[in-house]
Amino acid sequence: MQILRDQSVPMRDGVYLATDIYLPANIEGPFPVVIERTPYDKSKPSRSEKQLDGQHISRQAMAARFTEQGFVAIFQDCRGRYASEGVFTKYTAEGEDGFDTLAWIVEQPWCNGRIGSMGLSYAAHTQLAMACLHPPGLSSMVLDSGGFSNAFQCGIRQGGAFELKQATWAWRQAKESPIALADPQIREALEQEDIHQWFARMPWQPGQSPIRHVPEYEAYLLEQWAQGSFGDYWRKPGIYAEGHYNDLPDIPVLFMSSWYDAYVSSTLANYSAFKRHNSTPQHLIMGPWLHGDRNISHSGDVEFGAAASFDGQVAENWLTCRLNWFERSLKDQPAEALTDAPVKVFLMGGGDGTPDEQGRLQHGGRWLHSQQWPLPGSQSLSLYLDHERQLSRERPVTREATLSYRADPDHPIPTIGGALTSGAPVFAGGAFDQRERADFFGTRGHNQPLAEREDVLSFQTPPLTEDLIIAGPLYIELWIESDAPDTDFTAKLVDIYPPSAHYPDGYAMNITDGIRRSRYRDSWENPEPLKPGERVKVVIEPFATCNVFKRGHRLRLDIASSNFPRFDVNPNSGEAEGQARNKRIAINTVHLCQDFASRLVLTTLPAEALPALERQPADCG
């Protein structure tokens, strides 16, 4: 292939973005093009290109496969990153820069006017951002674990709270900023910051953060943190596809994410929107993995089995999958249409619950194949919270019942896994026994169950008499009151293994969780403080999931008022977002009576629906 490195592609404001172009050799053009726009250095291998056999494919090796099949392959550094000019402001320039890049590409003699895009995480955000502006030539996308439907609700904030993965990401990536790469003293100053101590001193302020050495990174982070209400800041195309769904191009898209990824709700919302508005094929893959780890069969301390890997299960491998996708969606003579289902989701659970050789609980799972998501035959199930801390299908009959606890912002509930990413080195995602282990930030380190804390309310079913399949969206309606002007409520769905020889106390495996900041209970645009003694409803929407709770297990719901460091801690004082000068303890109350019934609403799948969903051949998109 012919390689054109660091080509300067002009943007509308005069900034040039460094772009590597790989052209097919000895083949007459023009050609369809496949592009990846990344902030992670276009000259280095992407972390998403790790195969099951351990091979880590370089971008040049990827380009060789694409050019062999008659595609031009392009990799571009985002604005202000590595070889590209300009100032990096996370997310906000990607729509216009992507549009300008594609406008330049379609004018090149080697381009036939049809462009596909691909990429993981931020490189998925860049794709959807430019798609919102309907750029010339865009004909297909592969959105892998990213692409903001609404960053106010998934990716930057969630339920009104701020996702602190943005803080760890900014600190790590500031070390790769142009100023840090050019000045070893700045990079060393960043390296010397104790990020764990800084997390214990939150919230951060201008000049009082570990990122102060690179002011533009600190500035964008603190602005995200401070923008608590949904307004114009959150309506930018790069982070709000939801506001542009009616204008999106009618193109085929392959969506992929995983149940312990940070972008579950964005992926499912985007898939549903493209499916609703477009006539072209829309495909969805949801695995059990952490963010982008499609060939790692465990998440946290839980093993899902060999079937969980992408390679050999969903397709031969991820690179071949994308090549086949672009053959069908970009070539004039697309490959023969596949006969398998466009929706492939991994149903977690069903394993024997013993530890494997690495000490991970064997939870198991299998792939389901469908024409739709949620899956056909899905039903709604309400489980009510009662004053005896049970989950029941029966609505409470008591006229008055409450449970209360103290929410202390100086002693928040620690994050023990979950659907999150980019938290290193402070916190990590995945499935874990919900205990205060010493190796998790913010715990008491005594290995006691989180459910035994006085500031956690746990509600659970009796041991299940038959398997219960939860597959789809869920939400929690809580009737609450508080003596504070603002406070948070969190909810965590837990699969409780019964006691066994290996786990004498059982195993409390986190499945999904969510949060709601009370001031946004009725409106994201117009927050309202709580009034002492006022009873109000808050709705918490954890990420959708797909898990079978086996017979003999219990389904548990944990209610609390913090999940730190996944989310910032509410000071309970009603102060502006990102401020906590007047922290106070809140007395939070959950109502559990007939007229104010708090409940968990699940999407379930009857067991008899499973056989029809397990009979499809495995292939990709």
Side-chain angles (χ1 to χ4, degrees), residues 455-530:
D455 49 0
V456 176
L457 301 180
S458 289
F459 304 86
Q460 63 183 359
T461 65
L464 298 171
T465 58
E466 57 185 20
D467 290 355
L468 176 62
I469 301 170
I470 310 300
L474 63 149
Y475 63 92
I476 298 92
E477 292 180 347
L478 292 181
W479 285 96
I480 65 95
E481 64 179 275
S482 176
D483 67 349
D486 189 39
T487 191
D488 290 350
F489 286 89
T490 64
K492 182 185 297 177
L493 190 68
V494 186
D495 188 346
I496 304 296
Y497 275 76
S500 66
H502 298 288
Y503 304 103
D505 298 325
Y507 193 102
M509 174 185 167
N510 55 302
I511 300 298
T512 185
D513 61 75
I515 192 168
R516 188 65 174 254
R517 189 147 289 172
S518 297
R519 70 177 79 175
Y520 305 109
R521 64 193 178 279
D522 296 322
S523 170
W524 301 114
E525 294 87 354
N526 301 300
E528 287 288 336
L530 295 168

Side-chain angles (χ1 to χ4, degrees), residues 71 114-116 139-142 251-253 322-332 334-335:
F71 297 98
R114 303 176 77 174
I115 303 172
S139 303
S140 179
M141 293 193 295
V142 177
I251 60 175
V253 184
R322 285 169 290 171
L323 283 164
N324 290 342
W325 177 264
F326 290 125
E327 283 283 345
R328 291 190 294 277
S329 57
L330 295 181
K331 294 288 184 72
D332 289 332

Side-chain angles (χ1 to χ4, degrees), residues 41-61:
D41 193 347
K42 60 180 170 49
S43 66
K44 294 179 181 177
S46 167
R47 65 176 294 270
S48 70
E49 305 304 331
K50 294 181 180 180
Q51 296 191 159
L52 184 61
D53 61 10
Q55 183 181 3
H56 195 176
I57 304 173
S58 69
R59 284 195 165 93
Q60 184 161 324

